[in-house]
Each structure stands twice: as structure tokens, then as C-alpha cells.
């Protein structure tokens, strides 16, 4: 019975193109788009930014502009639809060394400019001011040879303010961040969409009388429900491995990043088993609850999308308010994504082990609730 | 020997003011076919749900003759099969895949399962479409597959809910022949349908349900109906002559229907007609149709037993 049930559920899923698209194609497309979208280098983002720069042609203002342009910005004096507009005050040298805190620059951002770009430009404007101030100071004190060409003076300032040599970033972190941000999130998002085929196949069985027929077969329907979930659990494991292959090996290659190796196989195994179990268990509650195809799509899809948003899949968690970040700590999708990230880096820490425990407890509670809901449901079955 | 006995059965849905079924008494012999007829909402589905163990009667009993002392649910799982009106199978699976899946739910060995699939495919003439996906089958083959799945566990009792709806005459003929063959093999059948000619053809007992109450009709295959249209309205005194012959008659204006059970009754009836010398405009002598009974019964508000 178990083998025949597994075979039946696999045929049902694969013969429904919508389910295949939702479970396999949609997450691949999301992983591809999001990874590609986030793969743009900071240099490229800055270079493509349209910045309007208004000055009174004072020397110090021009020098500030050159320091800012040194980060890669293309500055234009007139640009009606700029992403950002910078207006410098006059008497810059005097104001820079004044003890009064008077704003020296006014920045206006375009409505389409993202918060991340705004923060980056702010940071670069501050750095440009710091370099300008140091430059003027060194000229005043005679530490800078004012006969040197301006380019050489600037090179000297840039060299003295360069602190990058003090920071060491792990090699993996340099190569993987884009992939580890987008791939785990959308992989987990896809795996949790197992809710749709489980709900739809069960609804079909209720509506065409198959479940009533099964009630008169010598089979325990609770057992039948569990075997159905087992079939989808196996499917979910296959889906996870397929998506990980695409997300870890193929997508990085497409955007010129190194492929993510499968480091610790036992960690991968733990992650696959626990994440798929949590996804199928959660889906089983929805499947036992919904009474129509519309409910299945709205409730199953809707809950997943809300949970993904709260888990930081759509907007990075670290730029969310503290209250939303705390809510994410209670989301199974968040635990799942954290676990997948840990597996990609090949190093489980305390947080990952806690995620495994949370997901296992969540799965146990979900399965108990769905078994109760399903019992009630089959009790109400009668011949229509 | 009885297949099942229903005694004083009543069922009331929660919060319903009137019972869905009341005072139902049925004793169905093994190997017989019971026809359940009645308009939509008359209680047929409720009765089938109770017989399937899906609903528990509010009062009264359902007793299945058995030696194993099983509970109703266990007895149903072992000996009873349903053929719902809907296509209760998986359209995406082929005919064989459907049969293999459902037989895997029965407690058969692998070899027995294979034999059951082959036997049932042969019985329902499904061999030539065995590899076709169920959703691409014609209506007739879908009905046969629906029936074949029920036969997989080799049930002693079979409940069929309108098993020939939407089926062409040839397929209907083959389904009805199969049911007759099953009956001859000793299977007990409960058959619901709105196609009364089918019910009349294959059923031994008929229960007509109306608003949850039952009328019991034992169709005497020899009973025929003599329908006469006279030139003039008949007098009450003339019609009363028939009470002495114990022939059941119905009279309205210039029409008379007489239900004849034997040749002797027919000859007696003809003699009376001959003596009366009434002008006859039209006369039919035919098998009494279940449709006639059904229409008469449903038009009357009272419950009549024939």
C-alpha cells in the first residue's frame, strides 16, 4: 500500500503542471532573479547612479566633487531626474573649520532611490568631507607640498585615509554572500509551497467521493493520511535537493560566482530532513482545514507569502524594525532559511542546532493538529 | 437468508425539525437486488450513508447477517463496496494504475491482488483501455472503472448510486448485464437510480422514499394493467362490481385501470365488460410500469402501500 500510495501521489503531482511549476519552476526563477539582482557590484551601482552636483565654482567645492567622484559617482551640474541632488554651501573652507555646526551640503533623494543607496551616498559624502578637511588642513600646516599636482595631493590623502588593510574578511564570506542571502530564502519558500499539491489532491479526493469510497476499504484513514504525507515528504526531499543543486551549483556559475560546494553531507542531510518535515507538517494543517480550491490557494499561498515577508525573504531582516525582527524569530521559514545558510557555509553553530529543535517541535505539533483536524473531517463524511 | 435487516430506522440531522428518515423497515435476502427510488432529498443518500456505516441511526437497528461478529464499520470494510455517482478514482492515473492502487488497500497478497485486477478488468471489459489515463476514457468506460474499483475487494454487498448516468445504451446494457451476473453469483445489490425502467429490470424489491418515509413495492412480474377508455363516464355502482372479484381498479371519469394478476382475473374482467355493453373507445393491456406506480405515488400526498 505504501509503495502504491507513493507512486500515486508522485503521478498526481507530476501530471499537474501547475503544481510542478509552483514547486520546481517558481523557486528556481525567484532564486535566479534575486541572486542576479543582488549580484551587481557596489561599483556598478554607484557608477549607474545619476547624481546632480550644484556648486558656486569655488576651489574647495570642486575638490570635494573630485573626492566624491573618486568613489565612482558620475556628477553632473544639471540633471532634472537625478537619483540624488547635492547642493553645496558657499565659503566651504571657512565653514569646515568653523566651530559652528552649520550644514555644508543639502542632499535630496529621488523617490525611487532605495534606502540602501541613500545610506551609501551619505557615507561617501561624509568620507569626501573628511578627506577634503584633511587635505585643507595639511595644506595649511605645510605637511602637504602645495606645488605637487592636485592628483598627487589627492592620492596622498586617499592613501593616508585608507583603512581597508585593517580588515580581514573570511574568503567564503567574500565569495558567498549574494548566494547565501537569496538562495536559502527562495529555496525554503519553494519547499513550503508543498501546501498546494497536498491540499488540492486531498480536496479532489473529498469532492469526487474517493475518500468516502476509501472509508469502506479495509484501511484506516488516519494511516492513509500519514502515508499520503510520507509520499509528499519524499517528494519534498527530492524538491529540496533539486533546488539546492540549481541554487548552489548552477546559479552562481551563471553570474560568475564560484559554485557552493556540498561541505558537510551530514549537515545537509539533517537540514533536508528537518526542513522538509516542517514544510509538509505545516502543509498538512492547511490541507486538513480547507474546504475548497479557492480556500486552498488563498490560505496556502497567502500564509506562505506573509510568513516569507516576516522571515526577511523579501526585505532584509537587518533593515526591518526591531519588533518585526523579533517576530521572525518565531517563523518556521526563518528557522529553515537559517539552517540552509548554515549548511551552505558548512558550519553548524548553536543557532542552527536550535533551529533544528524548533523545526522538529513545530513539525510534531503541526502533525498532531492536522491529525485531529483530519479525524474530524472524515467523521463528517457522508454520501451526498 | 437475509443480507441485512433494517428495523424501525430513524435518522434526524442535527438541528433539523423533521427526521430525514423514519419508520424504515427493510429485509433484503442475500443475492437479491433492492431498488431505492425517490425524488432528490427524499432520504436515499442518508439511508445509503447509514448502510455504509458513515452515519449512525438516531433510533432503530441495522443488522447484517454475519458469522464473524464484526462491528458495522469493520463488516462494511470487509464485505460492502460503494459505487458513488461521482467518478471516485484518480483521472490522472491509467485504468491499471487505478486498479492497482485501490487493490493495494485491500488485504490481499501480491499474487491475489494481480488476480483480482485481472478478474475485475475482464468482468468490466476494461482490458482494451487498461493503459489509458482515466480522464481520457469515454463516459461508459469511466462508469465501468468506477464499478470495477468497487468489485476489487470481492464484496458480498454492493451499493450503487446511479451507476448508469450519462452512459450510452450499449454501455448501459453491459453494466446492467454485469449487475445481473453478479446477482446470479449471489451478490446482494442496493441500487438507486432515477431511471425507473432499469430499477424495474434488475431489482427484486423496491423501496420508494418520499420525505423520509418508505413505501414498499414487491413487483409481481405477472401483474399487468388493463387500461380502458370508455365513451361515457362510468357509474359508481358499475365500478363496485369489481370489489367482488378482488381486482384492484382505479377509475376516473371515463377511464379505468385494472391491475390483473392472473388469466382467470382477466377472463372475469372481460366477462363483466361484455355484460355491461359499454362503448369502448380504447383499450391497452400491458406490463404495469414502475413509472406509473412512481408517478401515482408521488402525486398523492399520503403514503400508500401497494
Amino acid at each position: 500500500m505504501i509503495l502504491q500510495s507513493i507512486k500515486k501521489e508522485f503521478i498526481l503531482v507530476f501530471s499537474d503542471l501547475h503544481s510542478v511549476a509552483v514547486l520546481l519552476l517558481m523557486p528556481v526563477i525567484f532564486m535566479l532573479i534575486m541572486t542576479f539582482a543582488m549580484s551587481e557590484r557596489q561599483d556598478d551601482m554607484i557608477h549607474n547612479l545619476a547624481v546632480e552636483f550644484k556648486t558656486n565654482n569655488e576651489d574647495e567645492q570642486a575638490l570635494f566633487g573630485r573626492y566624491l567622484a573618486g568613489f565612482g559617482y558620475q556628477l553632473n551640474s544639471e540633471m532634472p531626474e537625478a537619483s540624488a541632488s547635492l547642493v553645496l554651501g558657499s565659503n566651504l573652507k571657512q565653514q569646515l573649520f568653523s566651530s559652528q555646526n552649520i550644514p555644508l551640503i543639502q542632499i535630496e533623494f529621488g523617490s525611487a532611490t532605495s534606502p540602501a543607496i541613500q545610506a551609501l551616498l551619505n557615507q561617501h559624502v561624509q568620507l569626501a568631507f573628511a578627506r577634503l578637511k584633511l587635505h585643507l588642513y595639511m595644506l595649511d600646516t605645510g605637511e602637504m607640498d602645495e606645488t605637487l599636482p592636485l592628483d598627487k595631493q589627492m592620492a596622498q590623502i586617499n592613501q593616508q585615509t585608507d583603512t581597508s588593510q585593517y580588515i580581514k574578511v573570511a574568503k567564503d564570506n567574500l565569495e558567498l554572500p549574494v548566494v547565501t542571502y537569496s538562495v536559502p530564502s527562495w529555496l525554503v519558500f519553494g519547499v513550503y509551497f508543498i501546501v498546494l499539491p497536498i491540499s488540492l489532491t486531498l480536496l479532489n479526493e473529498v469532492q469526487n467521493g474517493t475518500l468516502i469510497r476509501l472509508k469502506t476499504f479495509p484501511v484506516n484513514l488516519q494511516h492513509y493520511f500519514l502515508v499520503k504525507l510520507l509520499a509528499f515528504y519524499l517528494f519534498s526531499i527530492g524538491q529540496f535537493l533539486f533546488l539546492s543543486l540549481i541554487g548552489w551549483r548552477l546559479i552562481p556559475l551563471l553570474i560568475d560566482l564560484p559554485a557552493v560546494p556540498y561541505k558537510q553531507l551530514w549537515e545537509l542531510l539533517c537540514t533536508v530532513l528537518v526542513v522538509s518535515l516542517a514544510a509538509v507538517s505545516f502543509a498538512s494543517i492547511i490541507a486538513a482545514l480547507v474546504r475548497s480550491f479557492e480556500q486552498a490557494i488563498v490560505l496556502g499561498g497567502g500564509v506562505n507569502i506573509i510568513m516569507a515577508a516576516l522571515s526577511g525573504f523579501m526585505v532584509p531582516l537587518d533593515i526591518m524594525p526591531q519588533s518585526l525582527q523579533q517576530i521572525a524569530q518565531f517563523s518556521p521559514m526563518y528557522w529553515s532559511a537559517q539552517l540552509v545558510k548554515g549548511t551552505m557555509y558548512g558550519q553548524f553553530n548553536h543557532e542552527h542546532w536550535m533551529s533544528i529543535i524548533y523545526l522538529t517541535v513545530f513539525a510534531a505539533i503541526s502533525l498532531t493538529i492536522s491529525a485531529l483536524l483530519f479525524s474530524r473531517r472524515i467523521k463528517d463524511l457522508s454520501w451526498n | 437468508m437475509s443480507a441485512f435487516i433494517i428495523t424501525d430506522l430513524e435518522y434526524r440531522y442535527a438541528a433539523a425539525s423533521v427526521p430525514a428518515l423514519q419508520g424504515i423497515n427493510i429485509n433484503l435476502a442475500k443475492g437479491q437486488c433492492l431498488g431505492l427510488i425517490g425524488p432528490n432529498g427524499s432520504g436515499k443518500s442518508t439511508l445509503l450513508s447509514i448502510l455504509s456505516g458513515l452515519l449512525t441511526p438516531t433510533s432503530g437497528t441495522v443488522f447484517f447477517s454475519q458469522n464473524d461478529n464484526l462491528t458495522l464499520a469493520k463488516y462494511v470494510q470487509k464485505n460492502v463496496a460503494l459505487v458513488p455517482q461521482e467518478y471516485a478514482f484518480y483521472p490522472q492515473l491509467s485504468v491499471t494504475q487505478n486498479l492497482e492502487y485501490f487493490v493495494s488497500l485491500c488485504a490481499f497478497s501480491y499474487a491475489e491482488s494481480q488476480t483480482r485486477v485481472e478478474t475485475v478488468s475482464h468482468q468490466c471489459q476494461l482490458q482494451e483501455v487498461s493503459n489509458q489515463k482515466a480522464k481520457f476514457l469515454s463516459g461508459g468506460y469511466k462508469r465501468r472503472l468506477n464499478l470495477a474499483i468497487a468489485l476489487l475487494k470481492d464484496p458480498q454487498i454492493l451499493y450503487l448510486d446511479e451507476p448508469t448516468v450519462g452512459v450510452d445504451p450499449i454501455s448501459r446494457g453491459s453494466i446492467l448485464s454485469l449487475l445481473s451476473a453478479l446477482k446470479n453469483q449471489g451478490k446482494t445489490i442496493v441500487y438507486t437510480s432515477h431511471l425507473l425502467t432499469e430499477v424495474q429490470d434488475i431489482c427484486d424489491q423496491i423501496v420508494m422514499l418520499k420525505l423520509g418515509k418508505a413505501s414498499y413495492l414487491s413487483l409481481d412480474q405477472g401483474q399487468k394493467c388493463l387500461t380502458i377508455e370508455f365513451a361515457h363516464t362510468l357509474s359508481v355502482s358499475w365500478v363496485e362490481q369489481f370489489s367482488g372479484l378482488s381486482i384492484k381498479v382505479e377509475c376516473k371519469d371515463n377511464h379505468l385501470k385494472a391491475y390483473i394478476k392472473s388469466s382467470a382475473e382477466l377472463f372475469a374482467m372481460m366477462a363483466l365488460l361484455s355484460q355491461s355493453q359499454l362503448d369502448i373507445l380504447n383499450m391497452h393491456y400491458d406490463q404495469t410500469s414502475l413509472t406509473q406506480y412512481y408517478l401515482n405515488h408521488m402525486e398523492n400526498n399520503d403514503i400508500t402501500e401497494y
Side-chain angles (χ1 to χ4, degrees), chain A residues 184-201:
Chain A
S185 303
W186 299 109
L187 183 152
V188 167
F189 187 63
V191 168
Y192 274 74
F193 260 88
I194 196 87
V195 65
L196 288 185
I198 295 184
S199 304
L200 298 182
T201 53

Side-chain angles (χ1 to χ4, degrees), chain B residues 7-77:
Chain B
T7 313
D8 292 331
L9 182 121
E10 181 175 313
Y11 186 81
R12 191 183 289 266
Y13 285 101
S17 56
V18 289
L21 290 171
Q22 57 180 314
I24 310 291
N25 292 286
I26 299 172
N27 184 343
L28 184 65
K30 277 189 178 170
Q32 285 220 317
C33 180
L34 169 72
L36 269 183
I37 58 174
N40 296 328
S42 58
K44 300 190 298 291
S45 301
T46 307
L47 184 54
L48 282 178
S49 292
I50 291 170
L51 284 172
S52 314
L54 301 172
L55 295 175
T56 308
T58 311
S59 66
T61 56
V62 177
F63 172 76
F64 284 91
S65 302
Q66 53 165 318
N67 301 322
D68 302 335
N69 209 16
L70 299 170
T71 61
L72 176 62
K74 290 281 175 203
Y75 180 81
V76 166
Q77 286 189 341

Side-chain angles (χ1 to χ4, degrees), chain A residues 1 4-5 7-8 11-12 15 205 208-210 212-219 224 381-384, chain B residues 45 49 54 76-77 82 84 86-90 92-93 97 100-102 104-106 146 149 153 161:
Chain A
M1 175 209 171
Q4 284 291 343
S5 295
K7 179 181 166 187
K8 176 202 76 175
I11 293 174
L12 293 182
S15 57
E205 287 171 337
N208 71 8
T210 309
I212 287 188
R213 169 173 260 170
L214 290 176
K215 213 171 169 182
T216 61
F217 269 72
V219 59
Y224 165 80
L381 279 179
S382 66
W383 194 302
N384 290 313
Chain B
S45 301
S49 292
L54 301 172
V76 166
Q77 286 189 341
L82 309 183
E86 298 86 4
Y87 298 128
F89 50 73
Y90 299 98
Q92 299 91 335
L93 268 57
Q97 284 168 340
E100 284 176 348
Y101 169 67
F102 281 101
S104 76
L105 303 175
C106 306
N146 217 19
I149 292 166
K153 67 175 178 179
D161 188 7

Side-chain angles (χ1 to χ4, degrees), chain B residues 135-149:
Chain B
K135 65 179 171 185
F136 297 128
L137 295 176
S138 65
Y141 275 118
K142 282 180 180 165
R143 288 278 162 215
R144 287 188 219 179
L145 176 59
N146 217 19
L147 177 58
I149 292 166

Side-chain angles (χ1 to χ4, degrees), chain B residues 96 99-100 103 113-122 152:
Chain B
T96 305
L99 294 175
E100 284 176 348
V103 84
S113 298
Q114 293 298 106
T115 310
R116 284 307 303 157
V117 169
E118 279 172 28
T119 307
V120 162
S121 295
H122 178 73
L152 280 169

